[in-house]
Amino acid sequence: MGGFSPASAAQRCAVGIHTSPSSPVSRSRSRRQQQPAPPVRRRRLAAPLAVSRRSLLVPRAVAASTDRASPEAVGRFNLESNSELQVTVNAAPQGAIAEINFEATNTSGSLVLHWGALRPDRGEWLLPSRRPDGTTTFKNQALRTPFVKSGDNSTLRVEIDDPAVQAIEFLLFDEARNKWFKNNGQNFLIQLPTSRNQGQGASGATVVPEDLVQIQSYLRWERNGKQSYTSDQEKVEYEAARAELTDELNRGVPLEKLRARLTKTPESSERDAPAAKTTATKELEKRVSKHEKKKKYSVERIQRKNRDITQLLNKIKPGVTKEQVQAAPKQPTVLDLFTKSLQEGDDCDVLSRKLFKIGDKEILAIATKALGKTRVHLATNDVEPLILHWALAKKAGEWEAPPLSIAPSGSTLLDKACETSFVESELDGLQYQVVEIELDDDGYKGMPFVLRHGETWIKNNDSDFYLDFKTKVTKKAKVIDTGDAGKGTAKAFLERIADLEEDAQRSFMHRFNIAADLVDQARDAGLLGIVGLFVWIRFMSTRQLIWNKNYNVKPREISKAQDRFTDDLENMYKSYPQYREILRMILSAVGRGGEGDVGQRIRDEILVIQRNNDCKGGMMEEWHQKLHNNTSPDDVVICQAIIDYIKSDFDISVYWDTLNKNGINKERLLSYDRAIHSEPKFRSDQKEGLLRDLGNYMRSLKAVHSGADLESAIATCMGYKSEGEGFMVGVQINPVKGLSSGFPELLQFVLDHVEDKSAEPLLEGLLEARVELRPLLIESSERLKDLIFLDIALDSTFRTAVERSYEELNDAAPEKIMYFIGLVLENLALSTDDNEDILYCLKGWNQAMEMVKQKDDQWALYAKACLDRTRLALASKGEQYYNMMQPSAEYLGSLLNVDEWAVDIFTEEIIRGGSAATLSALLNRFDPVLRNVAHLGSWQVISPVEVTGYVVVVDKLLSVQNKSYDKPTILMAKSVKGEEEIPDGVVGVITPDMPDVLSHVSVRARNCKVLFATCFDPNTLSELQGHEGKVFSFKTTSADVTYREITESELMQSSSANAQAGEAIASLSLVKKKFLGKYAISAEDFTDEMVGAKSRNIAYLKGKVPSWVGIPTSVAIPFGTFEKVLSDDTNKEVAQNIQMLKGRLAQDDFSALGEMRKTVLDLTAPTQLVTELKEKMLSSGMPWPGDESDQRWEQAWMAIKKVWASKWNERAYFSTRKVKLDHDYLSMSVLVQEIVNADYAFVIHTTNPSSGDSSEIYAEVVKGLGETLVGAYPGRAMSFVCKKDDLDSPKVLGYPSKPIGLFIKRSIIFRSDSNGEDLEGYAGAGLYDRLVNFFHETQFTHMIKNSFSITAKECACFSVPMDEEDQVVLDYTTDALITDSGFRSSILSSIARAGHAIEELYGSPQDVEGVVKDGKIYVVQTRPQM
């Protein structure tokens, strides 16, 4: 501790003086409150924990005297720019009435004083009985007095006649404007002149003003050498200071003289200067303030431990295995076959379906409607003779004998029932028994029944079976066996859940016991099974499923079932770390359950509360009956609503407000089996006891029902004890073992600051607590479940605190916003199973903050890359959640008849409730700040073209890439990945996405003279999207876009400007290539008759580029080789299949494309091909794969075939059709190169493609292999420009945000090289460059797979390495290209020099691809830049 703190001493003596300007109710988080609630003084309830609650704080807004020339103390406060509040206090004689006069200038006529008085012997605001006219009481906690309007000003006088009152505290409220005025975010505080009581309190004891005690204690601390005191020593020193001053007053020293001595100001009789404070006074206050500030940062914040961030790394990836998704379907049971036979009938609708367990057998009850008739079918796989004892019901619980006319033949009518024997039957050799009943009256609601075997009655768990006729038609009945329903889910498991839902609805005890029974089945179904279990529990927790239906269950039975279920989840958490993220979600939706018989206390304590507080009737009795019948999470809300109602001085609207904000309305209260009809109604003398008892009762409720309640989670881990009383059981929870020695103090810090307005210290404390917990969560710790619930609660509290901080960040410096982003990222990493990318994002933000401290002028540009990468990580997480959860939500929702709206937003609500949504909001706030600092503007122009056209909004460019527009169209595409085609008729594409400037779609846009630009301003995008269907003109510069609406006549006039934009490339022709007798050739034989331009350019560069530029060794498999291999006798069947598939393509059956690629892979290599290729590779110095093993040759041969097969990839096929090329004339050679295991890869355009500046080179660089640059991998590459006359001065335009790098060991790569590469105006399109990101499946491959039933791998076969690349999550903070400016300048200059040299060699702008290895530049490809 850094010394004695007068501030903390003042806190101790001013017990209870605590305000919370944002809310009168602790922890209220509602955003729907129309009027901000005023700050009020309130008494703190004792927390039910073994640790103490928050320390109480003293507001520091004290009005100091500014005019000592008169006998009045004066305070002035600025309200707004032209408005001021002046407060004067009369120095009344001893015992007289004190007057406080308020005058507010330039105000409206609706100003109100919200106020209370302060006495040292009271913890709450005192509400004086002497009040100005018009004063009202606000919730029995504050007074509200209206000002009197006088001209432009408003005035008010308040009189205080209680000599013990030392100050008044207040705020101002402008009712007309719904606006509060505060004193720098705190309450105003006016001290009354001490001459009124001369140091005497109400009881006659000497009272020393606390501000003087504070100064005296500070002076003592200085005199004692500014020692470091413990908390107890501080208390002793503070009271010693009080005793010294009390002694002086008792000896007759006037208070004014004492004040003058301590503050170094003249006494009132000597004052004639206008200044209120002397230099000495100001100096003293400065010293005290400085000490308080030092104290704040040493005591009011925890000291976080220095850790390596990577210690938080989790690399567990919850994957869905092929076996899990494509598990063999279970053999249909006889009851499945029976259901199917019913549904195959004409016009048969299933009204309801219920499957009941009877021992190890089942009985299926189905109500159908066919041809206007309602029928009931009961079938069972029990082959023992059975009798159905049944009736009909027009209301719940009724047994009514059916009319004789509808009783099946052989039935026996009884008084209120009918008995019918089951009839034996058979389906597919499986035996079963059935009863069928046709009804003649739609007025029946359902059918109750039981079974009889001889004299043995068979019931449904001691209850009647019941089939409800009026249940909505389930989607399951409609989609069963179609093949699409339940795709991407653990379908059989979800159907099992649906079959058990009827039983689960009886009570929470039944639901949790059923859930426990299903845990093993969920685990066996893999990730999708765990997800299915979570979806079911989530539907339950959000009240989409029935919680209780006519079943009385004791609270301890619920908590026991809860314990059983959560224990099973805990065991799975220990054994299956890949499922922990989802298991945490399940646990947070379930609640803890009751240890130590805490569940029984729910039942017992309510009786004690009623007895002790004389409230045995009305609403409390109705709630008591509900609690005894079936307690639920709603009871936590009801208890809080009652507490809020009592605290508000019995304002019933507060009760309903709390209920409604938490999803409970009057209809829900009435829907309980033990309905709550009445409203709470208590007497004032019951207030204190009820608040005490209900506060304690809330602990029991939260212990069972709340999975994310911080106080109960801490109490459970730290331990607590509740004594029994009479019949009420006692509870003792022991502390969790293994916690670090300082952990209780850390949790105490969190509790002490959980409501602080400034959330930063709290966030640090919460994160420190989570990091301290992490080792115990990873290990199989004792009472792991309690630790998980504590971690969930800390996480939930963190998110709430961040949301509370948004206002604080409005005007914050960039460093503070980045710090907050780092905190939220760390919290997200602690809740994520596979968090490597998130942790590297966090390291990036930390590095950006270091760059700010070092005044690095590149910090904003680098931070922008960190922001973009973080957004990608969040988008990837959201997509993962959607793909993992939404199919299960949709299928199970259809089975359980969950409201469609709840199903549609299921995954969205999961994401919105997590740290990812909080982080996204922070990034959105910070993005424009960074763009402004980095001078990035709101646009990035990728293809600068002036265009006019009709605005059309689309979700994805991919979804319209093959569409043709019949008029000039400017697309507002919400998603562009980088590998799409530009549709015919499109003259412009505007998107918020950021594809690389050198991506396929970017190159295609420039080739086709199409405007292509990224807009970073969401307001501009929204505005443009709002103009859908209108005609707009767009003009561009290299960094900006201007636009305006025009008329259609103007569009016609400007149509010539669009003549070239968006049109397909002019019709081209290909010359069919022939096989010239060689299966393989070396580089010196590369001619246009043998290979494409890609191969020829590489051969041309050899020996002509500077010696410091490396050219990889190459051989080729020439044109015509594919056709030659196909004609070989060994491939006769393959050739026939390909010919058949070509016929289907001619009929526009595009599904044949995928089959064509698969068929090519069946080719067998002729012996001559193997021999010649081996010879050429070895003679060129390349390794021969077959020398390693036959398997290695097979890998190489498969790669060659995949290159040939890429001729029939969708994008290439449709591109050739678009430009009217004869696809049969497209020939494919294969360029064979040894892979350079690259540190970096680059693409150069020797003329800046964005600006068209031929004096400037533009290049992009990625870490690892170049596939992440030319393929559709997410994120941006590093980009830079370099003037050709100053190649030593590259200028970085953007830092990389790509999260993935590809690396490979020494290997061979096979590249497509078609005669299409030779076409002028088409070579730059990258027609057969590698297309698809293997790791992050794109929307393109998703569409292709859905349409053509092929895999992502099969789409991606244009440059095929023999070996798989290693996909590495990139940490740019350890990359010298980012962190070492000298290294960066050297590498980028070398890349620019290589591009410039190749341009000079060809004499025209070039599109160059290459890699960097150990600082050396290698060029692997060049072609004319388009």
Side-chain angles (χ1 to χ4, degrees):
M1 184 165 295
F4 185 82
S5 170
S8 63
Q11 293 170 16
R12 287 195 299 276
C13 69
V15 176
I17 302 179
H18 171 243
T19 63
S20 177
S22 63
S23 171
V25 180
S26 176
R27 288 175 180 75
S28 173
R29 292 178 291 182
S30 170
R31 301 176 183 173
R32 293 177 287 179
Q33 192 168 331
Q34 296 300 311
Q35 173 180 310
V40 294
R41 294 203 167 272
R42 62 183 185 272
R43 190 183 307 274
R44 172 181 56 82
L45 291 177
L49 306 176
V51 288
S52 61
R53 262 304 257 123
R54 313 177 25 86
S55 299
L56 298 175
L57 306 180
V58 175
R60 308 204 192 288
V62 178
S65 173
T66 58
D67 185 0
R68 310 297 289 184
S70 70
E72 298 178 338
V74 179
R76 286 192 176 89
F77 307 86
N78 288 325
L79 301 180
E80 293 182 304
S81 58
N82 64 341
S83 180
E84 183 184 70
L85 173 68
Q86 177 174 303
V87 184
T88 61
V89 183
N90 286 346
Q94 182 175 352
I97 297 172
E99 289 185 358
I100 304 103
N101 295 294
F102 302 81
E103 183 175 10
T105 61
N106 299 316
T107 58
S108 69
S110 58
L111 201 62
V112 172
L113 183 76
H114 182 92
W115 65 287
L118 302 181
R119 280 176 38 165
D121 58 340
R122 289 181 62 94
E124 298 176 327
W125 274 3
L126 172 72
L127 308 185
S129 57
R130 190 182 187 97
R131 306 170 183 178
D133 292 340
T135 299
T136 59
T137 301
F138 180 81
K139 297 185 178 180
N140 206 33
Q141 295 172 319
L143 297 177
R144 283 190 168 182
T145 305
F147 278 71
V148 177
K149 184 70 173 174
S150 177
D152 292 335
N153 300 342
S154 298
T155 62
L156 175 62
R157 184 176 70 182
V158 173
E159 297 177 344
I160 301 296
D161 60 2
D162 184 348
V165 171
Q166 291 189 341
I168 68 164
E169 196 172 19
F170 65 93
L171 286 93
L172 300 183
F173 180 56
D174 190 333
E175 291 184 318
R177 298 161 61 194
N178 192 30
K179 181 171 182 177
W180 287 93
F181 295 97
K182 305 176 184 179
N183 185 22
N184 295 322
Q186 298 288 338
N187 297 352
F188 297 94
L189 181 68
I190 299 295
Q191 291 186 340
L192 301 185
T194 53
S195 60
R196 296 173 57 243
N197 47 43
Q198 287 296 319
Q200 299 297 310
S203 63
T206 301
V207 178
V208 182
E210 294 300 327
D211 61 326
L212 299 187
V213 178
Q214 182 173 334
I215 294 173
Q216 178 72 0
S217 64
Y218 177 80
L219 294 174
R220 283 177 57 87
W221 176 68
E222 281 195 322
R223 286 198 303 267
N224 292 334
K226 300 183 179 180
Q227 300 177 29
S228 295
Y229 292 144
T230 65
S231 178
D232 290 338
Q233 287 173 325
E234 279 193 359
K235 295 175 183 177
V236 171
E237 280 293 306
Y238 194 86
E239 293 308 318
R242 183 192 304 278
E244 288 178 349
L245 297 181
T246 302
D247 183 64
E248 289 194 63
L249 289 175
N250 289 338
R251 286 190 281 108
V253 176
L255 187 58
E256 280 294 310
K257 193 175 186 72
L258 189 62
R259 180 179 293 280
R261 176 172 64 78
L262 290 173
T263 61
K264 300 295 190 294
T265 57
E267 296 180 41
S268 55
S269 60
E270 301 172 354
R271 274 182 267 151
D272 53 15
K277 300 179 183 179
T278 66
T279 303
T281 304
K282 293 179 180 178
E283 180 60 25
L284 177 61
E285 291 183 356
K286 182 178 179 181
R287 285 152 58 198
V288 174
S289 174
K290 183 177 180 180
H291 178 69
E292 289 183 51
K293 185 174 182 181
K294 180 180 178 183
K295 170 85 169 153
K296 174 181 177 183
Y297 285 93
S298 62
V299 177
E300 296 298 327
R301 299 180 83 128
I302 59 137
Q303 186 67 41
R304 295 206 65 189
K305 296 178 182 177
N306 290 325
R307 298 182 180 89
D308 181 357
I309 290 174
T310 56
Q311 291 178 358
L312 306 181
L313 179 64
N314 288 329
K315 296 189 74 169
I316 302 167
K317 298 180 181 180
V320 182
T321 67
K322 185 175 182 181
E323 289 75 17
Q324 290 168 354
V325 176
Q326 298 181 352
K330 64 176 184 178
Q331 283 296 110
T333 67
V334 66
L335 299 183
D336 293 332
L337 297 173
F338 178 75
T339 302
K340 185 176 181 181
S341 69
L342 289 179
Q343 292 177 319
E344 288 174 346
D346 294 336
D347 300 321
C348 176
D349 289 328
V350 175
L351 300 179
S352 59
R353 176 183 184 274
K354 282 297 302 172
L355 183 68
F356 301 99
K357 295 289 290 184
I358 47 175
D360 60 345
K361 303 298 183 181
E362 295 174 323
I363 182 168
L364 176 67
I366 299 180
T368 64
K369 195 154 194 173
L371 304 176
K373 294 285 187 180
T374 300
R375 291 183 174 86
V376 177
H377 313 263
L378 291 103
T380 177
N381 56 2
D382 190 341
V383 295
E384 295 291 334
L386 287 175
I387 292 176
L388 177 69
H389 184 90
W390 62 284
L392 296 173
K394 292 188 176 179
K395 61 182 179 180
E398 183 179 64
W399 276 71
E400 179 181 317
L404 182 61
S405 59
I406 68 171
S409 175
S411 298
T412 302
L413 278 179
L414 305 175
D415 182 23
K416 291 188 176 182
C418 181
E419 289 196 338
T420 304
S421 296
F422 277 80
V423 177
E424 294 180 358
S425 190
E426 179 182 316
L427 275 171
D428 289 359
L430 299 174
Q431 303 296 318
Y432 71 103
Q433 297 187 87
V434 66
V435 170
E436 296 189 359
I437 305 166
E438 184 175 300
L439 307 181
D440 61 358
D441 184 357
D442 286 338
Y444 296 116
K445 302 295 185 184
M447 181 179 132
F449 64 94
V450 293
L451 305 175
R452 184 162 59 83
H453 173 56
E455 298 301 318
T456 302
W457 291 93
I458 303 172
K459 303 185 75 175
N460 184 25
N461 294 323
D462 298 326
S463 298
D464 298 338
F465 297 100
Y466 186 79
L467 179 64
D468 187 350
F469 298 159
K470 299 302 181 183
T471 305
K472 285 191 298 185
V473 178
T474 65
K475 297 178 183 178
K476 178 180 179 181
K478 294 182 178 180
V479 300
I480 195 167
D481 291 330
T482 64
D484 292 329
K487 186 177 181 181
T489 74
K491 183 177 179 182
F493 178 66
L494 296 184
E495 290 173 352
R496 179 62 180 159
I497 289 176
D499 288 339
L500 296 170
E501 174 59 24
E502 180 81 9
D503 285 342
Q505 291 178 359
R506 298 168 71 184
S507 74
F508 275 117
M509 178 192 73
H510 291 84
R511 186 175 297 281
F512 291 138
N513 277 327
I514 289 171
D517 292 339
L518 290 172
V519 165
D520 286 347
Q521 296 177 49
R523 181 201 59 219
D524 293 343
L527 174 65
L528 294 180
I530 309 299
V531 168
L533 186 62
F534 165 65
V535 170
W536 182 47
I537 294 300
R538 173 78 179 181
F539 280 150
M540 176 273 293
S541 69
T542 55
R543 303 188 178 98
Q544 294 301 316
L545 305 176
I546 295 172
W547 283 5
N548 180 260
K549 185 189 289 184
N550 304 316
Y551 200 91
N552 188 346
V553 61
K554 298 174 182 178
R556 68 180 174 193
E557 293 172 333
I558 294 176
S559 64
K560 183 178 179 182
Q562 232 172 328
D563 259 343
R564 180 187 167 214
F565 180 37
T566 54
D567 282 347
D568 288 345
L569 296 175
E570 175 190 44
N571 291 331
M572 193 189 303
Y573 188 97
K574 293 176 182 178
S575 304
Y576 296 86
Q578 67 270 34
Y579 301 146
R580 285 177 178 169
E581 191 171 334
I582 305 300
L583 292 170
R584 280 171 56 92
M585 295 181 183
I586 301 175
L587 286 164
S588 65
V590 172
R592 186 179 300 105
E595 283 189 75
D597 213 11
V598 71
Q600 180 60 25
R601 287 183 67 92
I602 291 178
R603 191 182 183 109
D604 295 346
E605 284 183 41
I606 190 64
L607 293 170
V608 175
I609 292 172
Q610 288 181 280
R611 183 187 64 194
N612 289 349
N613 295 280
D614 189 25
C615 51
K616 297 181 180 178
M619 180 267 172
M620 289 295 285
E621 178 58 27
E622 292 170 353
W623 186 33
H624 159 225
Q625 293 299 326
K626 181 212 177 290
L627 289 161
H628 273 235
N629 185 59
N630 200 334
T631 183
S632 70
D634 281 3
D635 294 313
V636 177
V637 180
I638 293 170
C639 187
Q640 187 62 56
I642 297 173
I643 291 172
D644 293 346
Y645 157 72
I646 297 171
K647 283 184 176 180
S648 69
D649 201 19
F650 310 111
D651 183 346
I652 197 62
S653 65
V654 173
Y655 168 78
W656 286 109
D657 187 48
T658 299
L659 290 178
N660 292 335
K661 286 176 181 177
N662 290 277
I664 298 178
N665 54 23
K666 190 171 185 178
E667 289 71 26
R668 184 163 184 83
L669 293 176
L670 294 174
S671 71
Y672 302 139
D673 289 336
R674 299 294 187 269
I676 298 177
H677 300 272
S678 308
E679 295 177 334
K681 188 174 183 181
F682 305 114
R683 304 184 307 272
S684 58
D685 62 296
Q686 297 171 300
K687 180 176 181 179
E688 186 174 347
L690 281 170
L691 286 177
R692 178 194 64 242
D693 292 347
L694 288 171
N696 290 329
Y697 190 51
M698 181 69 87
R699 179 180 63 191
S700 296
L701 290 171
K702 287 183 175 179
V704 173
H705 295 302
S706 294
D709 176 68
L710 182 62
E711 291 184 2
S712 64
I714 291 177
T716 302
C717 289
M718 294 297 99
Y720 70 90
K721 182 177 181 180
S722 296
E723 299 292 343
E725 181 179 339
F727 59 84
M728 186 169 63
V729 300
V731 174
Q732 179 168 339
I733 305 298
N734 295 319
V736 174
K737 296 178 182 178
L739 298 174
S740 62
S741 58
F743 196 64
E745 289 75 14
L746 184 56
L747 294 181
Q748 178 62 58
F749 176 88
V750 167
L751 286 174
D752 286 347
H753 294 78
V754 77
E755 292 180 359
D756 286 2
K757 181 177 180 182
S758 178
E760 192 172 315
L762 171 64
L763 297 177
E764 293 170 342
L766 289 163
L767 282 179
E768 190 67 15
R770 295 197 69 194
V771 174
E772 288 285 328
L773 268 183
R774 184 173 180 272
L776 298 177
L777 295 173
I778 294 174
E779 302 163 4
S780 297
S781 305
E782 180 185 352
R783 287 175 58 189
L784 176 62
K785 179 173 66 174
D786 291 332
L787 296 174
I788 297 171
F789 277 117
L790 176 56
D791 190 57
I792 290 170
L794 292 167
D795 180 26
S796 176
T797 305
F798 183 95
R799 296 195 305 270
T800 302
V802 172
E803 290 168 5
R804 192 172 72 233
S805 302
Y806 287 160
E807 183 178 351
E808 179 184 346
L809 295 176
N810 282 341
D811 301 314
E815 303 95 301
K816 183 165 186 175
I817 301 176
M818 287 194 288
Y819 183 62
F820 264 75
I821 289 171
L823 293 176
V824 179
L825 265 172
E826 184 177 353
N827 190 62
L828 180 60
L830 288 166
S831 303
T832 304
D833 283 343
D834 181 23
N835 64 7
E836 188 173 15
D837 190 18
I838 295 170
L839 284 180
Y840 291 154
C841 288
L842 174 56
K843 291 185 70 176
W845 283 107
N846 290 343
Q847 182 172 339
M849 285 189 283
E850 271 307 308
M851 293 171 71
V852 173
K853 292 177 184 177
Q854 296 168 6
K855 302 188 183 305
D856 189 326
D857 59 6
Q858 295 278 294
W859 78 264
L861 204 59
Y862 178 75
K864 182 63 172 68
C866 295
L867 186 146
D868 293 340
R869 178 173 181 175
T870 307
R871 275 182 169 159
L872 286 171
L874 297 182
S876 176
K877 191 68 180 173
E879 186 176 1
Q880 176 197 356
Y881 272 11
Y882 189 88
N883 293 336
M884 184 169 60
M885 297 178 183
Q886 195 61 28
S888 293
E890 291 174 359
Y891 188 58
L892 186 60
S894 73
L895 300 181
L896 302 181
N897 294 306
V898 173
D899 288 339
E900 189 172 345
W901 67 266
V903 171
D904 292 342
I905 66 171
F906 183 87
T907 307
E908 178 186 344
E909 286 300 301
I910 299 297
I911 296 170
R912 285 167 59 89
S915 291
T918 307
L919 180 56
S920 179
L922 285 174
L923 297 178
N924 290 339
R925 284 168 172 261
F926 197 38
D927 194 350
V929 174
L930 283 180
R931 298 195 64 77
N932 181 55
V933 175
H935 308 293
L936 294 176
S938 297
W939 293 87
Q940 180 180 26
V941 180
I942 297 171
S943 175
V945 182
E946 181 178 338
V947 298
T948 56
Y950 291 87
V951 174
V952 174
V953 179
V954 297
D955 283 332
K956 300 172 184 175
L957 180 59
L958 180 70
S959 64
V960 297
Q961 66 173 351
N962 293 322
K963 184 175 180 178
S964 293
Y965 291 89
D966 56 5
K967 54 187 178 182
T969 298
I970 301 171
L971 293 179
M972 300 293 151
K974 299 175 185 176
S975 171
V976 175
K977 296 300 180 183
E979 291 303 321
E980 301 89 342
E981 293 292 332
I982 304 292
D984 288 340
V986 168
V987 298
V989 178
I990 307 295
T991 179
D993 267 346
M994 298 177 289
D996 287 316
V997 172
L998 303 184
S999 67
H1000 170 81
V1001 71
S1002 302
V1003 173
R1004 183 68 88 202
R1006 290 191 290 269
N1007 287 352
C1008 297
K1009 301 297 186 290
V1010 170
L1011 166 66
F1012 188 34
T1014 297
C1015 179
F1016 299 103
D1017 185 346
N1019 295 325
T1020 300
L1021 275 172
S1022 179
E1023 176 198 347
L1024 287 170
Q1025 290 167 358
H1027 291 298
E1028 184 168 19
K1030 298 179 180 178
V1031 184
F1032 267 71
S1033 169
F1034 284 79
K1035 295 184 178 181
T1036 68
T1037 65
S1038 61
D1040 197 15
V1041 174
T1042 60
Y1043 54 89
R1044 65 184 181 90
E1045 186 176 357
I1046 62 173
T1047 63
E1048 291 194 351
S1049 59
E1050 289 179 278
L1051 173 64
M1052 297 299 294
Q1053 295 171 7
S1054 64
S1055 60
S1056 59
N1058 288 342
Q1060 295 180 342
E1063 295 179 359
I1065 299 172
S1067 180
L1068 302 169
S1069 61
L1070 288 169
V1071 177
K1072 192 168 186 177
K1073 301 294 184 178
K1074 298 179 181 179
F1075 180 68
L1076 297 180
K1078 294 182 178 181
Y1079 285 98
I1081 57 176
S1082 54
E1084 54 268 21
D1085 294 326
F1086 288 180
T1087 66
D1088 59 359
E1089 291 300 317
M1090 302 288 278
V1091 294
K1094 186 183 298 182
S1095 301
R1096 298 199 308 275
N1097 286 335
I1098 284 295
Y1100 177 75
L1101 290 175
K1102 196 83 169 179
K1104 296 184 177 65
V1105 294
S1107 59
W1108 50 269
V1109 177
I1111 304 296
T1113 303
S1114 305
V1115 300
I1117 299 172
F1119 292 138
T1121 304
F1122 166 72
E1123 290 78 9
K1124 178 66 174 175
V1125 171
L1126 186 64
S1127 65
D1128 193 272
D1129 288 344
T1130 59
N1131 295 310
K1132 192 171 186 179
E1133 185 178 346
V1134 176
Q1136 292 173 347
N1137 290 337
I1138 285 179
Q1139 197 60 38
M1140 179 269 294
L1141 291 169
K1142 283 183 177 180
R1144 285 173 52 187
L1145 272 178
Q1147 301 299 317
D1148 289 344
D1149 179 1
F1150 302 124
S1151 65
L1153 289 169
E1155 295 180 51
M1156 187 83 78
R1157 291 193 296 273
K1158 289 181 180 179
T1159 303
V1160 170
L1161 301 185
D1162 293 332
L1163 288 170
T1164 300
T1167 303
Q1168 188 64 25
L1169 183 150
V1170 178
T1171 301
E1172 291 188 22
L1173 183 59
K1174 177 180 180 179
E1175 178 192 345
K1176 293 300 180 185
M1177 291 180 67
L1178 290 174
S1179 63
S1180 299
M1182 297 172 67
W1184 171 243
D1187 287 344
E1188 297 179 52
S1189 67
D1190 290 341
Q1191 179 188 359
R1192 293 290 287 164
W1193 159 246
E1194 289 301 327
Q1195 285 180 249
W1197 175 234
M1198 180 58 69
I1200 293 167
K1201 291 187 288 185
K1202 287 181 177 180
V1203 173
W1204 285 337
S1206 69
K1207 173 179 176 177
W1208 287 279
N1209 82 71
E1210 278 70 17
R1211 194 183 79 185
Y1213 182 81
F1214 290 119
S1215 293
T1216 56
R1217 282 170 58 104
K1218 184 174 182 179
V1219 295
K1220 299 179 176 59
L1221 286 172
D1222 187 337
H1223 191 260
D1224 276 346
Y1225 277 42
L1226 199 66
S1227 297
M1228 187 75 71
S1229 65
V1230 181
L1231 177 62
V1232 185
Q1233 294 178 314
E1234 189 171 2
I1235 290 180
V1236 177
N1237 186 10
D1239 300 322
Y1240 305 99
F1242 59 82
V1243 173
I1244 307 168
H1245 278 200
T1246 58
T1247 290
N1248 190 326
S1250 296
S1251 63
D1253 186 352
S1254 61
S1255 70
E1256 189 172 67
I1257 290 172
Y1258 176 88
E1260 292 181 343
V1261 185
V1262 294
K1263 193 168 178 62
L1265 299 179
E1267 275 73 14
T1268 61
L1269 180 56
V1270 300
Y1273 283 71
R1276 299 290 296 274
M1278 171 179 271
S1279 58
F1280 73 95
V1281 293
C1282 195
K1283 291 293 185 181
K1284 294 175 183 176
D1285 59 2
D1286 189 9
L1287 294 171
D1288 290 328
S1289 302
K1291 178 184 177 182
V1292 175
L1293 300 180
Y1295 284 90
S1297 61
K1298 288 184 180 290
I1300 296 297
L1302 298 179
F1303 299 86
I1304 198 169
K1305 62 182 181 180
R1306 186 183 184 193
S1307 187
I1308 305 296
I1309 192 167
F1310 301 86
R1311 302 180 184 272
S1312 62
D1313 189 22
S1314 74
N1315 56 344
E1317 300 280 336
D1318 299 338
L1319 297 176
E1320 185 178 353
Y1322 209 57
L1327 189 61
Y1328 287 98
D1329 286 343
R1330 186 183 182 102
L1331 172 64
V1332 177
N1333 171 348
F1334 287 175
F1335 185 62
H1336 296 277
E1337 181 180 312
T1338 65
Q1339 292 296 320
F1340 174 79
T1341 60
H1342 182 67
M1343 181 198 75
I1344 294 301
K1345 287 199 289 184
N1346 287 344
S1347 301
F1348 302 104
S1349 300
I1350 62 169
T1351 67
K1353 288 272 187 178
E1354 290 164 341
C1355 291
C1357 300
F1358 317 122
S1359 290
V1360 186
M1362 267 181 57
D1363 301 283
E1364 289 286 337
E1365 306 98 329
D1366 293 325
Q1367 298 158 350
V1368 177
V1369 181
L1370 298 175
D1371 178 5
Y1372 290 112
T1373 65
T1374 61
D1375 183 358
L1377 194 65
I1378 308 301
T1379 60
D1380 186 337
S1381 59
F1383 178 79
R1384 178 169 64 246
S1385 180
S1386 172
I1387 293 296
L1388 300 188
S1389 293
S1390 297
I1391 291 172
R1393 288 180 185 280
H1396 186 239
I1398 292 172
E1399 181 185 54
E1400 289 196 327
L1401 183 62
Y1402 280 92
S1404 63
Q1406 292 293 299
D1407 175 355
V1408 183
E1409 294 181 22
V1411 299
V1412 181
K1413 176 64 176 175
D1414 297 332
K1416 182 176 177 63
I1417 305 297
Y1418 294 84
V1419 171
V1420 299
Q1421 175 178 325
T1422 188
R1423 60 192 176 196
Q1425 178 182 334
M1426 303 305 300

